[in-house]
Amino acid sequence: MIDTKNKLNIAQMIASNGAGGAEKIFIDLCNELGKRHSVTAYTYNNPFIVNGLNESVRVCIIEQRSRFHFPHYLKLYKSFKEQSFDLIHTHSVKASVIVYYINKVLPFCHVATKHNSRKGKIFNKIKNVTAVSRRVSQSIAHPSKIIHNGINPQIIQKEPKLNSNKPFKLLSIGRLDPIKGFHLLIDSVSKLRIDYRLEIVGDGPQKSALDLQIEDLGLQKKVRLSGFQKNIAQKMADSDLLIINSFSEGFSIVAIEALYYGNVLISTDVGGSDEILTEAFLFEQNELTEKIKSIYQSYSEYHEKFNIIQRLKRENFLFSKTAEYYELLYQELLN
């Protein structure tokens, strides 16, 4: 366990307007560390992040500038020097680039977390890098420490599902972006010949295109884009089948939430899912229609097998453990 008497002065920084997994982890890490340490969160004026931080976290709003905007670097340099942080922890590419270059002229311990396996050459240059999954770690040129994402579970009402509902309730969650594969998901369910309803939760730039696709396929009564929702846990509990159809993930928070709230989860073979699920719950995108049909026909069997995965894996993804692993790393680097 961490020696909580050793109070650290920590900065956490992210440069994002998003509301996805990386941003959720940033919020939870700031809040958890703020219970024991002095924490300053450097972030854009992103309501999702700012409103999610509790009162124990000092918030410093950073300007939305290009990653090589010199006046912006100078302001951050002065702020970092004034605060004399023990450690600065950056999340994702842009924040990590900025702090990497400031660190060349201002000595401090820099930790950077890579949240996905795409892009991010900067992480090959930074000495102390963490990765949220095995697959993300493999995308970094030098050894990195894997610290999985985690969640703080909610208490919800969950009824046992011995048999599938009618209609068969499908659920998919994420930013409406082509990399999430929602257009292929909609195409796949259009070929189903069972009584189903698909709800896609999330907002993003692909919404208009997906609305048009749903209309063109005549699926207005079967497929619904419900936008951003707060009651994700209950929606998972009420659905029969949760689907991750992404082309790429760092470590999907949705997959972790499914371990606590879901009934059955299937996923493409992306980061995180490959560490949680057995082969029976992984699929190729061109096989999705048949996979849904197979689960529909043998629902009790899939439900029982997924319940075993939940019992075996869920305790590994408590956020309290995630935060503890980061604290251990901080102490190791600073000592």
Side-chain angles (χ1 to χ4, degrees):
M1 295 293 293
I2 294 295
D3 179 7
T4 55
K5 294 180 181 178
N6 186 7
K7 185 174 181 178
L8 300 176
N9 185 18
I10 303 168
Q12 299 282 336
M13 179 170 167
I14 192 168
S16 169
N17 284 312
E23 292 78 15
K24 288 180 182 178
I25 292 299
F26 179 84
I27 293 167
D28 287 344
L29 186 57
C30 287
N31 289 341
E32 183 66 27
L33 293 176
K35 297 174 183 178
R36 296 175 291 282
H37 305 284
S38 175
V39 176
T40 301
Y42 287 81
T43 176
Y44 288 163
N45 193 15
N46 177 345
F48 177 78
I49 294 175
V50 174
N51 295 335
L53 295 169
N54 64 35
E55 293 180 355
S56 67
V57 179
R58 177 174 175 263
V59 178
C60 185
I61 302 299
I62 60 177
E63 298 175 32
Q64 298 189 42
R65 301 286 189 175
S66 74
R67 65 184 68 173
F68 298 113
H69 185 261
F70 180 75
H72 182 42
Y73 274 67
L74 189 58
K75 286 183 181 179
L76 286 171
Y77 170 89
K78 290 178 179 178
S79 179
F80 293 166
K81 188 173 183 179
E82 178 183 321
Q83 296 298 322
S84 298
F85 294 113
D86 295 307
L87 179 143
I88 299 178
H89 184 171
T90 57
H91 297 260
S92 301
V93 173
K94 190 169 183 179
S96 298
V97 169
I98 293 169
V99 172
Y100 170 77
Y101 284 106
I102 294 175
N103 198 197
K104 285 185 172 294
V105 293
L106 182 65
F108 52 79
C109 182
H110 179 199
V111 175
T113 295
K114 191 175 188 197
H115 288 269
N116 63 61
S117 56
R118 297 171 283 120
K119 305 177 182 178
K121 292 182 180 179
I122 187 62
F123 297 102
N124 298 331
K125 299 179 180 180
I126 298 170
K127 181 181 178 181
N128 304 311
V129 178
T130 69
V132 298
S133 71
R134 182 174 59 230
R135 193 164 298 187
V136 172
S137 179
Q138 291 168 350
S139 72
I140 302 166
H142 58 77
S144 60
K145 186 174 184 63
I146 299 172
I147 299 180
H148 290 132
N149 292 336
I151 66 168
N152 295 308
Q154 304 172 31
I155 297 174
I156 59 168
Q157 294 293 326
K158 187 173 181 181
E159 300 296 330
K161 284 184 177 288
L162 300 178
N163 297 297
S164 62
N165 288 338
K166 293 181 181 178
F168 197 51
K169 293 182 180 179
L170 310 175
L171 178 67
S172 196
I173 302 165
R175 178 172 165 78
L176 303 186
D177 185 280
I179 200 165
K180 298 295 186 180
F182 291 125
H183 55 298
L184 297 180
L185 171 59
I186 293 169
D187 185 61
S188 294
V189 300
S190 72
K191 301 169 187 174
L192 289 171
R193 297 298 176 260
I194 61 174
D195 185 14
Y196 74 90
R197 298 294 184 273
L198 167 64
E199 180 179 4
I200 297 175
V201 175
D203 290 314
Q206 204 183 13
K207 184 181 186 305
S208 296
L210 295 177
D211 275 328
L212 185 60
Q213 181 184 10
I214 291 167
E215 184 177 347
D216 286 346
L217 291 170
L219 297 177
Q220 296 94 324
K221 294 183 178 181
K222 289 184 173 291
V223 179
R224 180 165 66 101
L225 305 181
S226 57
F228 178 79
Q229 302 286 319
K230 291 185 177 180
N231 58 334
I232 294 298
Q234 194 62 56
K235 283 186 174 294
M236 287 187 179
D238 294 340
S239 69
D240 294 298
L241 178 61
L242 179 63
I243 303 169
I244 296 173
N245 196 49
S246 299
F247 290 95
S248 177
E249 292 281 350
F251 200 126
S252 172
I253 296 295
V254 170
I256 298 173
E257 290 173 329
L259 291 175
Y260 287 89
Y261 316 124
N263 290 293
V264 180
L265 166 69
I266 59 173
S267 175
T268 45
D269 187 6
V270 291
S273 295
D274 60 340
E275 297 182 51
I276 289 178
L277 299 173
T278 60
E279 188 174 343
F281 295 89
L282 299 173
F283 65 89
E284 298 290 337
Q285 283 171 326
N286 61 357
E287 301 170 347
L288 180 53
T289 305
E290 289 302 312
K291 190 67 178 179
I292 296 172
K293 181 180 176 182
S294 174
I295 293 171
Y296 177 79
Q297 293 171 341
S298 305
Y299 189 75
S300 295
E301 179 184 344
Y302 275 95
H303 185 270
E304 183 178 344
K305 287 181 177 179
F306 186 65
N307 190 249
I308 293 171
I309 292 174
Q310 289 176 307
R311 293 199 302 268
L312 290 174
K313 298 289 184 72
R314 60 163 61 117
E315 295 298 317
N316 297 331
F317 300 100
L318 289 169
F319 192 80
S320 57
K321 290 188 176 182
T322 300
E324 183 176 329
Y325 292 144
Y326 278 117
E327 285 184 278
L328 286 169
L329 175 63
Y330 297 166
Q331 299 283 10
E332 177 185 327
L333 293 175
L334 293 172
N335 290 336

